[in-house]
Amino acid sequence: MTTKSLSFDELYPGTYLRAGSFKGKAATLTVTSVTREMLSNGSGGEEGAVIIAFEETELKFVANKTNGVCFRALWGDDSGEWIGHRITLHPVKDESGLSESGLCIRVKGSPELEKPLKFRSHLGRKLVTQTLQPTGKKPEPAAVEPEEPAEVEVIDDDDESEELV
């Protein structure tokens, strides 16, 4: 008898989305709430985290700043305005080395976009350029290979005269 193999994330499901939850594919989800909660930091303490809930799953998304600036670029500073909008998330190779699986979750774009949205934002001391894609115009491929991280353009932080989206 042949059994279907399960990923580690499927063997040990939790409360939050993990890159393994996507099974190598992008997923488009509808935002139902955005909150800030205290979560364990893995060192015996707690720290504040942005938690986003979706209509299509009970699993919640812990949105780091890299992902948060994408939500802001799409729908503005007021997180209450994000509710009801659709976002496409996908697993990508984790360049930070912090994830056990070697993958992390990133915002790919939204079916609400008419054309690619290029924007700049501060992540730490770096000013980076990111591009979000329209995701509803064509069907997603059956299997998505982990992608390389988005191209990052580093700009001298001393020149802050650039307008940020």
Side-chain angles (χ1 to χ4, degrees), residues 58-76:
E58 291 183 20
L59 297 176
K60 296 178 181 179
F61 178 47
V62 180
N64 62 14
K65 188 171 182 182
T66 300
N67 290 316
V69 297
C70 294
F71 279 81
R72 181 182 68 191
L74 286 162
W75 303 302

Side-chain angles (χ1 to χ4, degrees), residues 65-75 87 107-109 113 116-123 127-133 150-153 155 162-165:
K65 188 171 182 182
T66 300
N67 290 316
V69 297
C70 294
F71 279 81
R72 181 182 68 191
L74 286 162
W75 303 302
I87 191 88
V107 174
K108 182 174 188 172
L113 287 173
L117 172 63
K118 188 174 185 176
F119 66 97
R120 292 198 237 191
S121 63
H122 282 277
L123 293 176
L127 182 60
V128 298
T129 299
Q130 298 184 64
T131 304
L132 301 176
Q133 301 297 323
E151 181 179 320
V152 175
E153 175 185 349
I155 298 173
E162 297 284 339
E163 183 176 329
L164 299 177
V165 174

Side-chain angles (χ1 to χ4, degrees), residues 62-125:
V62 180
N64 62 14
K65 188 171 182 182
T66 300
N67 290 316
V69 297
C70 294
F71 279 81
R72 181 182 68 191
L74 286 162
W75 303 302
D77 282 333
D78 183 350
S79 63
E81 295 295 320
W82 305 353
I83 296 170
H85 287 286
R86 299 185 67 206
I87 191 88
T88 302
L89 303 174
H90 65 143
V92 298
K93 184 178 177 186
D94 177 19
E95 295 295 325
S96 73
L98 296 175
S99 73
E100 292 178 10
S101 70
L103 298 173
C104 63
I105 301 169
R106 290 288 181 252
V107 174
K108 182 174 188 172
S110 172
E112 298 173 25
L113 287 173
E114 296 288 324
K115 59 183 181 178
L117 172 63
K118 188 174 185 176
F119 66 97
R120 292 198 237 191
S121 63
H122 282 277
L123 293 176
R125 296 192 46 81

